[in-house]
Amino acid sequence: MTFSIEYIKIASYLGAGISIGIGAIATGIGLGTIAGEGTKALSVQPKANDVIFRTMLTGQAVTETGAIFALVVSLLLLFGGFNQGGWFRFFAFLGAGLGMGIGSLGPSLGAGFSGGQACKSIGRM
């Protein structure tokens, strides 16, 4: 069973959209968690400004890796080429986008939570 190139392109675009969409949402939640906890920590311990800010930036850099990987996968899906059609290529494009999008949920949310807790603990000390 072969699909036309148009269907393969649609699967590629959907996979890319799912990948970057879910990856960006999860990263945004993680970054917001870190920024919120960092702001609370600064209000409690204003003298620890440098340490909290450094910890917050390090946590945000780690949290953004999920979105960066999702962006790379979505660019590969968009510009990877559509030489031949087939049901396997159709589902491979959709599966790659869905897998990368869902796969970025845990690391982004987990890194955001741990970075936020690090800022919170520095604010308590």
Side-chain angles (χ1 to χ4, degrees):
M1 179 167 133
T2 61
F3 288 167
S4 67
I5 298 300
E6 287 80 22
Y7 288 119
I8 304 297
K9 286 184 180 181
I10 289 171
S12 173
Y13 296 150
L14 282 174
I18 291 169
S19 172
I20 196 64
I22 295 175
I25 288 171
T27 301
I29 293 170
L31 292 176
T33 302
I34 294 174
E37 293 295 335
T39 304
K40 287 178 191 175
L42 280 174
S43 67
V44 172
Q45 286 287 350
K47 291 183 180 179
N49 181 17
D50 293 338
V51 178
I52 293 172
F53 189 67
R54 200 175 19 214
T55 304
M56 187 176 71
L57 287 181
T58 304
Q60 286 181 340
V62 171
T63 305
E64 287 178 4
T65 57
I68 292 170
F69 286 146
L71 175 67
V72 169
V73 167
S74 66
L75 288 174
L76 287 173
L77 287 173
L78 288 176
F79 303 114
F82 311 102
N83 297 337
Q84 357 172 341
W87 64 269
F88 56 90
R89 186 172 287 250
F90 180 84
F91 289 111
F93 284 157
L94 278 178
L98 191 61
M100 186 62 229
I102 293 173
S104 67
L105 275 173
S108 295
L109 295 176
F113 178 75
S114 62
Q117 292 302 312
C119 290
K120 186 177 185 179
S121 66
I122 291 171
R124 276 190 291 171
M125 294 171 57

